[in-house]
Amino acid sequence: MHDNELWYSYKEGDVKALEGLYEQYYSPLTNYGFKFTPDNVCIEESMQDLFLKLWQNRERITRPPAVKQYLYLSFRRILLRRLEYNPSRHEEELSGEHIPFRFDLTCEHPVVKKERMEELMVKANALHSALTNRQREAVFLKYYEELSYEEIAEIMHMSTGVANILIYRAHERLREQFRDFTLLQLLYLLKRS
């Protein structure tokens, strides 16, 4: 079933539709959560809070333009609140550079051959220091989660233009530091096995 169909059915009170959304977004959202914190319990509780609030507030929640964007935005708010970044007090905290965002690299990914792993690990470490936290998050949302600039801006509490500039500057920074760095390698770095 498509996102919009699941959303419509969930809004009508269909628990199975909510379960469908949960099953569809559990892995991507928890993967996104691990970019902020390694605390599995915190991420799991944030997921539970998200879907509990969705169910409890289903009559008041309007249909979002994009279900995926809405779920990422809501999950991010809940998770950051748990991590003590309080969006209700200081909205600018949600887009602040002080919010950590990590890339994790593992050796098990099938895309990269074993003999290239060491070289890629060196690049990954350099990449981590080359990009800011906000750039890493924006690049992750753009290329791994395939969100639009508008959706990224909404999730990260910034204008669409700022999101576009943030990703453009990340590209420029990567090109400056890694002339041979490919998009495939970047996507690999964003993946968490």
Side-chain angles (χ1 to χ4, degrees):
M1 204 181 268
H2 190 267
D3 284 359
N4 292 330
E5 294 167 345
L6 287 170
W7 187 267
Y8 177 77
S9 296
Y10 136 76
K11 289 280 293 163
E12 295 294 314
D14 183 357
V15 176
K16 294 282 186 200
L18 184 66
E19 289 173 4
L21 287 170
Y22 181 84
E23 289 171 9
Q24 186 170 339
Y25 284 99
Y26 177 82
S27 290
L29 288 174
T30 55
N31 182 31
Y32 184 50
F34 277 116
K35 305 300 182 194
F36 293 102
T37 180
D39 186 346
N40 192 34
V41 172
C42 181
I43 293 168
E44 192 63 39
E45 288 175 353
S46 297
M47 285 292 292
Q48 290 173 10
D49 283 355
L50 170 63
F51 283 90
L52 179 64
K53 287 179 182 182
L54 283 174
W55 183 252
Q56 290 173 338
N57 299 320
R58 69 185 175 280
E59 293 173 4
R60 290 187 301 226
I61 297 174
T62 59
R63 185 188 172 281
V67 174
K68 181 177 185 176
Q69 173 192 3
Y70 180 84
L71 293 175
Y72 272 79
L73 172 63
S74 300
F75 177 72
R76 185 178 194 263
R77 277 193 184 133
I78 292 167
L79 180 63
L80 293 182
R81 194 170 292 127
R82 275 193 186 282
L83 294 172
E84 299 182 359
Y85 297 101
N86 191 341
S88 61
R89 278 189 297 146
H90 304 287
E91 196 66 30
E92 66 274 4
E93 283 186 7
L94 286 174
S95 62
E97 191 55 54
H98 63 282
I99 299 171
F101 194 81
R102 299 180 339 267
F103 288 142
D104 294 325
L105 188 64
T106 61
C107 297
E108 296 91 43
H109 200 283
V111 173
V112 180
K113 295 181 180 178
K114 197 170 191 172
E115 61 269 11
R116 297 224 350 135
M117 182 52 72
E118 189 172 312
E119 176 189 343
L120 195 53
M121 291 287 278
V122 170
K123 284 184 178 182
N125 290 333
L127 171 70
H128 193 11
S129 61
L131 300 179
T132 66
N133 287 323
R134 287 179 357 142
Q135 286 174 329
R136 285 191 296 266
E137 183 178 2
V139 166
F140 173 83
L141 292 172
K142 177 69 179 161
Y143 294 107
Y144 186 72
E145 295 301 332
E146 300 175 350
L147 295 173
S148 69
Y149 289 106
E150 294 81 12
E151 292 168 329
I152 293 166
E154 174 93 17
I155 290 168
M156 294 181 68
H157 295 278
M158 61 179 63
S159 71
T160 303
V162 170
N164 198 335
I165 290 168
L166 198 60
I167 292 170
Y168 174 79
R169 288 190 179 149
H171 287 198
E172 289 300 306
R173 190 69 187 256
L174 291 173
R175 272 187 232 135
E176 287 171 13
Q177 293 207 353
F178 313 104
R179 286 183 185 88
D180 63 340
F181 198 78
T182 67
L183 184 57
L184 177 62
Q185 289 172 324
L186 178 61
L187 291 172
Y188 171 69
L189 293 173
L190 297 173
K191 178 96 171 113
R192 180 181 170 87
S193 294

